[in-house]
Amino acid sequence: MLILQFVFLLLMLYLGSRFGGIGLGVVSGIGLLVEVFIFKMAPGSPPVNVMLIIMAVVTCASILEAAGGLKYMLQVAERILRKHPERVTIIAPIVTYTMTLMLGTGHAVYSIMPIIGDVAMKNKIRPERPMAAASVASQMGITGSPLSAAVVFYLTSMSEMTSSITLFHILGVTIPATLLGTLLMSLYSMRRGVELEDDKEYQRRMQDPDMREKILSTTATSLDVQLPPSARNSVVLFLLALVSIVAVAMFPAVRTVQGSTIGMSTIIQMMMLAFGGIILLVTKTPTSKVPEGVVFKSGMVAALAIFGIAWMSDTYFRHAMPTFETSIVGMVQNYPWTFALAMFVVSVVVNSQAAVCRMMLPVGMAMGLPPAVLIGLMPSCYGYFFIPNYPSDIATCNFDASGTTRIGKFYFNHSFMVPGLISVSIACVTGYLLANAIF
């Protein structure tokens, strides 16, 4: 019966994923009702704390975007890319990885992707090489960002398990691991596929007069926009917020008030709200512009998705845990990589690293897996490149005017498969080794 119920859980996740983030949230609500009133499971707990963190972070990042800070960051990234165009396949993934590290979301990649494609085309570099790698790298940065919901949930849950685990411990594993995975993926991408001039799809498009004109006339740039000083100031303040969060996390005495230590989830909420207010006051940004940006819209959709997914999943796993503990605990303890495989498989269906962590970390903790395993294998929560239906991957294909970044005839032979497998595999192996050395 538990297996059939798990299949039902995956079915709800699959159906929701076909409608995007909001669909995941509300379709999961249907699954929750079925679990409670038909399968007679006791309802679990909605992820209120995680949702509040997402809302606080998204609000601050949205104010940054409204103040012009995101465009300022984009211009800095573009100058770096155009200064070294021959190395775009290495630099582009590092740029998108860094942007995600700072913002806690990979959705900022949409603004930089046309520029990456333009730089590659103008230098006769196969656009698939930097663009596919950059799309994957933008998601690899999630588990290394102190602002991402996945990291915050890990920190909140594991610090409750043992107070010795801090944000520094988690980022000390995930940042080197995911960065190494990104770099090795980029090195592989430098030689993937035939050269641009030899690509059949590119040749076909160049023979079409309309497509040829579109390809040759495409020029994407952000450097022709004159930004006010407030754009740079907002970025400085946002970076100060990141530094403040990391500093407070590293020194627990700072967050000790009246003899009790304030949890990092609360600290992040306070810091993000406060610095959002500071950016708003210093830059005099109109509040009406805040909800109009891509960061606000995508972030709030993510919060709703996690609301439904996590509640439905928590209900199932609390009900099934007694059976799981007796049947598969030994296997996972003897072969830790099976936990990474489970995280990866769930991510293929869920399309959200935060939701995967919210679903699977309590399972791993209940099984008694050590912190080194749970933290070291955290990058395995990114598996949704496997089925090419994630918005950033689809957008990347559309941004590539040459047609080299594509989804193959057999669906799974797409441009993101091998870069994703390389980066996640390397990150998990590296993270596991680092975590065992630290803990």
Side-chain angles (χ1 to χ4, degrees):
M1 189 62 182
L2 285 178
I3 295 176
L4 292 177
Q5 291 167 346
F6 184 68
V7 171
F8 171 77
L9 175 72
L10 294 179
L11 176 63
M12 289 295 101
L13 293 174
Y14 172 72
L15 291 176
S17 67
R18 298 186 64 184
F19 294 93
I22 292 178
L24 275 170
V26 295
V27 173
S28 295
I30 299 174
L32 177 64
L33 284 178
V34 172
E35 287 176 340
V36 173
F37 292 105
I38 296 180
F39 294 148
K40 300 302 180 181
M41 300 180 186
S45 303
V48 176
N49 211 27
V50 175
M51 292 172 61
L52 289 176
I53 292 169
I54 294 175
M55 291 175 63
V57 170
V58 166
T59 300
C60 186
S62 299
I63 294 172
L64 169 75
E65 182 181 14
L70 204 56
K71 290 182 180 179
Y72 179 83
M73 292 168 60
L74 182 63
Q75 288 186 347
V76 172
E78 183 176 353
R79 290 191 182 96
I80 295 172
L81 287 169
R82 295 196 184 279
K83 187 176 181 180
H84 305 283
E86 72 284 357
R87 299 180 188 140
V88 65
T89 306
I90 296 291
I91 297 175
I94 295 176
V95 165
T96 56
Y97 175 88
T98 303
M99 291 177 70
T100 299
L101 214 67
M102 294 173 59
L103 296 172
T105 174
H107 290 291
V109 73
Y110 304 121
S111 56
I112 191 70
M113 199 60 75
I115 296 171
I116 295 172
D118 186 65
V119 172
M121 289 280 289
K122 283 182 169 50
N123 290 273
K124 302 299 181 182
I125 295 172
R126 181 183 178 89
E128 179 192 38
R129 294 172 179 174
M131 293 182 76
S135 181
V136 171
S138 70
Q139 302 304 314
M140 288 296 293
I142 293 291
T143 52
S145 172
L147 298 183
S148 74
V151 171
V152 170
F153 180 74
Y154 248 72
L155 176 63
T156 303
S157 301
M158 301 202 70
S159 60
E160 292 176 356
M161 181 174 70
T162 169
S163 59
S164 61
I165 296 178
T166 65
L167 181 63
F168 179 76
H169 289 113
I170 296 176
L171 299 185
V173 172
T174 57
I175 290 180
T178 53
L179 183 57
L180 180 61
T182 298
L183 290 173
L184 292 182
M185 167 193 66
S186 302
L187 290 174
Y188 156 79
S189 299
M190 291 184 69
R191 296 295 180 184
R192 70 176 306 197
V194 299
E195 297 302 321
L196 177 61
E197 298 296 335
D198 299 325
D199 187 85
K200 293 182 180 180
E201 176 61 21
Y202 176 72
Q203 292 175 347
R204 185 190 69 79
R205 294 190 178 195
M206 290 297 285
Q207 290 172 1
D208 184 315
D210 294 334
M211 290 297 298
R212 180 184 178 87
E213 182 180 358
K214 179 182 177 182
I215 292 172
L216 296 179
S217 63
T218 299
T219 300
T221 182
S222 64
L223 300 179
D224 54 359
V225 178
Q226 187 69 31
L227 297 176
S230 60
R232 183 197 60 194
N233 296 338
S234 66
V235 173
V236 172
L237 290 170
F238 191 79
L239 290 175
L240 183 59
L242 294 181
V243 173
S244 300
I245 290 172
V246 174
V248 171
M250 292 177 63
F251 302 102
V254 178
R255 50 191 170 97
T256 300
V257 178
Q258 295 183 356
S260 60
T261 302
I262 303 173
M264 276 307 300
S265 60
T266 303
I267 292 293
I268 292 174
Q269 293 172 45
M270 293 167 58
M271 286 288 189
M272 286 291 98
L273 286 177
F275 273 93
I278 294 171
I279 294 173
L280 195 70
L281 293 174
V282 171
T283 61
K284 297 181 174 59
T285 301
T287 54
S288 59
K289 295 174 62 177
V290 175
E292 297 175 357
V294 64
V295 173
F296 186 88
K297 293 176 182 178
S298 61
M300 291 307 171
V301 167
L304 179 58
I306 290 172
F307 181 30
I309 291 170
W311 200 355
M312 177 182 67
S313 302
D314 186 67
T315 299
Y316 170 79
F317 283 114
R318 286 194 182 192
H319 175 76
M321 189 52 61
T323 302
F324 282 179
E325 287 179 344
T326 58
S327 59
I328 62 175
V329 167
M331 180 186 70
V332 174
Q333 288 177 337
N334 292 328
Y335 306 100
W337 59 268
T338 57
F339 182 72
L341 181 61
M343 293 257 285
F344 186 87
V345 170
V346 172
S347 178
V348 171
V349 180
V350 173
N351 277 5
S352 168
Q353 295 182 50
V356 173
C357 293
R358 183 65 181 81
M359 289 171 58
M360 298 303 296
L361 180 59
V363 177
M365 293 172 64
M367 290 180 178
L369 295 181
V373 172
L374 297 173
I375 295 176
L377 299 181
M378 188 181 177
S380 63
C381 68
Y382 170 44
Y384 43 81
F385 65 84
F386 199 85
I387 299 177
N389 62 357
Y390 196 70
S392 61
D393 294 337
I394 295 173
T396 299
C397 292
N398 293 333
F399 283 136
D400 184 359
S402 71
T404 60
T405 308
R406 52 183 175 247
I407 298 170
K409 183 171 63 175
F410 301 105
Y411 194 61
F412 290 103
N413 58 331
H414 51 79
S415 296
F416 313 97
M417 179 66 83
V418 178
L421 290 174
I422 290 174
S423 57
V424 171
S425 299
I426 295 298
C428 285
V429 173
T430 306
Y432 182 72
L433 295 175
L434 280 174
N436 276 279
I438 291 175
F439 296 101

